[in-house]
């Protein structure tokens, strides 16, 4: 499906967003997305369809499977889009998702087509990685990300940016607040207040039920259990304070928050809250985009690319 790139705007209110020089726009014909029908890269603006099975593979550069062991001895699986660049961007999926998520794949392809290597990661308990799925585990996933970054630094790679979608957006912000060794963070539709959004999945009486039984099984429409939420994992989420963490992100770290104006899962107001508290922050609202950027994959990729490539140029121009 052809998708023109249009209908988005940047929010640049100097009351809570740092002013930046204009972001250049790169040629649209160079941004290639996968086709869900043909399962290959296309030279036109095509996007993977939600729920499609795909193996996004550049026709010239083969992807590489990489296995990295985290601090818990679990093997984390990832896909490296290798372009030969010294710089690499790490892409982090969201809640109950994987590295094969359409957004992760399309962003990796867009970076690859600009000559920037990208690595798509499965967090522990997700996708092909070892470990058990956890409802909370935000800081634990930040530590998974640290293991990945240490791996590539050991291979003499430069971690230029980390990008996360949804829960992954929270993870990259938590990482920046804890480790202080990343200069560029892209938070795509992360949640500011983790106490919100729970009752939509677990029910209004979730706290009483989990205190009584010790767990809640989240079931699908057929009655099968999708995943279990333990009291420990719930309290892990409730105790994760994004506001406090974001205050600890250093001013030298450039942060871009991208959020859809029509996000049905995490309201756009959460993006405004990040903009108020993160010191070196840019906010970009994608007009009409839902949480998964279903019809706005091209806009999302271009906004992210512009920010990343501008940062690369700034780093090259700096002493």
């Amino acid at each position: 499906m052809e998708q023109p790139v249009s209908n988005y705007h940047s929010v640049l209110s100097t009351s809570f967003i740092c002013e930046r020089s204009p972001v250049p726009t790169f040629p649209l014909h160079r941004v290639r997305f996968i086709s869900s029908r043909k399962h290959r890269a296309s030279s036109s603006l095509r996007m993977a369809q939600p729920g499609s099975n795909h193996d996004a593979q550049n026709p010239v550069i083969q992807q590489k499977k990489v296995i990295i062991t985290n601090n818990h001895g679990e093997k984390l699986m990832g896909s490296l889009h290798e372009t030969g660049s010294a710089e690499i961007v790490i892409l982090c999926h969201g809640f109950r998702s994987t590295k094969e998520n359409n957004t992760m794949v399309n962003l990796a392809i867009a970076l690859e087509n600009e000559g920037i290597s990208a690595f798509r990661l499965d967090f522990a308990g997700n996708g092909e990685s070892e470990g058990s799925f956890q409802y909370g585990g935000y800081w634990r996933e930040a530590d998974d990300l640290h293991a990945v970054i240490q791996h590539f630094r050991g291979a003499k790679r430069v971690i230029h940016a980390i990008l996360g979608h949804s829960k992954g957006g929270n993870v990259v912000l938590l990482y920046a607040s804890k480790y202080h060794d990343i200069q560029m963070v892209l938070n795509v539709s992360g949640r500011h207040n983790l106490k919100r959004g729970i009752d939509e999945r677990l029910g209004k009486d979730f706290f009483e039920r989990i205190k009584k039984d010790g767990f809640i099984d989240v079931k699908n429409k057929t009655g099968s259990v999708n995943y279990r939420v333990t009291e420990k994992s719930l309290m892990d989420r409730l105790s994760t304070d994004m506001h406090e963490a974001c205050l600890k992100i250093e001013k030298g770290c450039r942060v871009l928050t991208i959020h859809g104006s029509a996000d049905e899962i995490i309201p756009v107001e959460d993006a405004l809250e990040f903009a108020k508290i993160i010191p070196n922050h840019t906010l970009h609202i994608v007009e009409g985009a839902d949480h998964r950027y279903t019809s706005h994959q091209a806009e999302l990729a271009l906004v992210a690319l512009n920010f990343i490539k501008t940062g690369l140029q700034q780093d090259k121009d700096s002493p």
Side-chain angles (χ1 to χ4, degrees), residues 73-89:
E74 298 160 335
K75 293 180 180 178
L76 307 177
M77 297 293 295
S79 294
L80 175 62
H81 296 242
E82 181 62 82
T83 69
S85 65
E87 299 83 10
I88 189 170
V89 176

Side-chain angles (χ1 to χ4, degrees), residues 22 24 27 50 62 155 160 164 209 212 239 274 283 314-315:
Q62 297 292 317
H160 179 62
R209 290 166 57 207
K212 176 185 176 183
S239 64
F274 284 125
L283 174 61
Q314 290 175 348
D315 290 345

Side-chain angles (χ1 to χ4, degrees), residues 5-32:
V5 178
S6 61
N7 195 31
Y8 64 85
H9 66 277
S10 295
V11 178
L12 294 174
S13 170
T14 56
S15 62
F16 52 81
I17 302 175
C18 63
E19 292 184 289
R20 301 180 66 85
S21 57
V23 178
T25 300
F26 297 94
L28 300 187
H29 70 274
R30 295 183 62 191
V31 182
R32 304 204 304 269

Side-chain angles (χ1 to χ4, degrees), residues 1-3 5 28 30-58 63 79 81 83 89-93 97-121 163 165 186 188 290 292-306 308:
M1 177 181 67
E2 301 295 335
Q3 175 67 37
V5 178
L28 300 187
R30 295 183 62 191
V31 182
R32 304 204 304 269
F33 296 92
I34 65 172
S35 166
S36 60
R37 290 188 295 270
K38 297 183 179 179
H39 302 285
R40 61 178 175 81
S42 168
S43 59
S44 61
L45 284 174
R46 296 180 182 271
M47 282 151 286
Q49 300 302 314
S52 65
N53 180 27
H54 48 261
D55 180 15
Q57 209 170 42
N58 185 283
Q63 293 176 34
S79 294
H81 296 242
T83 69
V89 176
I90 311 296
L91 304 177
C92 303
H93 64 76
S97 187
T98 75
K99 65 183 182 303
E100 305 303 329
N101 172 268
N102 297 330
T103 298
M104 297 294 99
V105 175
N106 282 333
L107 287 169
I109 292 172
L111 287 161
E112 182 182 296
N113 291 337
E114 291 293 333
I116 302 170
S117 296
F119 182 72
R120 296 183 282 117
L121 162 69
L163 180 153
H165 173 244
L186 289 85
V188 181
D290 62 15
R292 297 172 179 82
Y293 296 83
T294 305
S295 300
H296 296 79
Q297 290 283 303
E299 291 95 323
L300 172 61
L302 285 176
V303 172
L305 272 176
N306 287 339
I308 290 169

Side-chain angles (χ1 to χ4, degrees), residues 216-275:
I216 294 175
D217 283 335
V218 179
K219 300 179 180 180
N220 58 25
K221 294 180 179 179
T222 66
S224 299
V225 176
N226 275 340
Y227 58 93
R228 172 167 290 187
V229 180
T230 64
E231 183 177 356
K232 180 181 178 181
S233 66
L234 175 63
M235 298 311 297
D236 180 275
R237 170 169 171 157
L238 291 173
S239 64
T240 302
D241 190 334
M242 292 304 303
H243 186 95
E244 184 67 26
C246 287
L247 292 174
K248 297 177 182 178
I249 297 176
E250 295 181 346
K251 292 182 179 180
C253 179
R254 295 175 292 232
V255 178
L256 170 66
T257 291
I258 306 173
H259 213 104
S261 68
D263 193 317
E264 75 285 10
I265 295 178
I266 301 175
V268 69
E269 287 76 18
D270 281 47
L272 302 178
E273 292 302 315
F274 284 125

